[in-house]
Amino acid sequence: MISLTDSQKIGIGLMGFGVFFLFFGMILFFDKALLAMGNIFFVVGLAFVIGLERTFRFFFQKHKMKATSFFLGGVLIVLIGWPIIGVILEFYGFFLLFRGFFPAVVSFIRRIPVLGYLLNLPFISGVSFTQQGDEEEEIVSWSFYFHIRIL
């Protein structure tokens, strides 16, 4: 079992609240206050989980500046008061920031009993996530291949 420090436990709780407020804010027709609270909770929770220095290094790597500007720009636009545009920018930035984790997440979900069964259905299993890129430059490009099985 993984042992967590108290600050990491607090960070996981804050990130959970952040995701909840973001989801609830979108359900309630992009409520500005809930989305702003969710953004703040998520970013502060991330800083608690991995530490301030590692959070700063993660967001401000040279090859992730575009993703960081979209994500933090979306947070700023939500705080200013344009929630729909801000959330779209945030999701795009979030996808660019965390796209390196998606293959690991999909392989982990495939091991969960019910969700793994659903992901291994013939139509869904035809979608494969492949990661291509140069390790020295740490640039990752994604391609999705759809395989159609003819009986």
Side-chain angles (χ1 to χ4, degrees), residues 51-97:
L52 285 174
E53 181 181 345
R54 290 179 68 191
T55 302
F56 186 78
R57 276 192 279 148
F58 175 77
F59 277 108
F60 295 105
Q61 293 175 10
K62 188 174 184 178
H63 66 277
K64 291 186 180 180
M65 289 305 291
K66 176 183 171 184
T68 301
S69 62
F70 272 104
F71 182 75
L72 295 178
V75 170
L76 182 67
I77 289 175
V78 167
L79 291 174
I80 289 173
W82 294 341
I84 296 174
I85 296 170
V87 167
I88 291 170
L89 291 176
E90 281 180 43
F91 279 142
Y92 181 65
F94 184 83
F95 175 75
L96 291 178
L97 278 171

Side-chain angles (χ1 to χ4, degrees), residues 27-145:
I27 286 177
L28 293 175
F29 302 112
F30 292 93
D31 183 51
K32 291 181 263 190
L34 291 174
L35 290 172
M37 287 173 47
N39 287 328
I40 292 169
F41 281 147
F42 183 79
V43 173
V44 170
L46 184 67
F48 267 90
V49 170
I50 64 175
L52 285 174
E53 181 181 345
R54 290 179 68 191
T55 302
F56 186 78
R57 276 192 279 148
F58 175 77
F59 277 108
F60 295 105
Q61 293 175 10
K62 188 174 184 178
H63 66 277
K64 291 186 180 180
M65 289 305 291
K66 176 183 171 184
T68 301
S69 62
F70 272 104
F71 182 75
L72 295 178
V75 170
L76 182 67
I77 289 175
V78 167
L79 291 174
I80 289 173
W82 294 341
I84 296 174
I85 296 170
V87 167
I88 291 170
L89 291 176
E90 281 180 43
F91 279 142
Y92 181 65
F94 184 83
F95 175 75
L96 291 178
L97 278 171
F98 296 102
R99 66 183 170 191
F101 299 110
F102 290 147
V105 170
V106 170
S107 67
F108 175 76
I109 291 174
R110 286 186 193 266
R111 294 184 199 144
I112 298 173
V114 175
L115 296 175
Y117 173 75
L118 292 174
L119 285 178
N120 289 326
L121 289 173
F123 181 74
I124 297 173
S125 67
V127 178
S128 63
F129 299 92
T130 58
Q131 183 176 2
Q132 301 170 349
D134 188 5
E135 291 182 12
E136 293 178 3
E137 295 177 4
E138 297 181 22
I139 297 174
V140 178
S141 65
W142 284 91
S143 58
F144 299 99
Y145 297 103

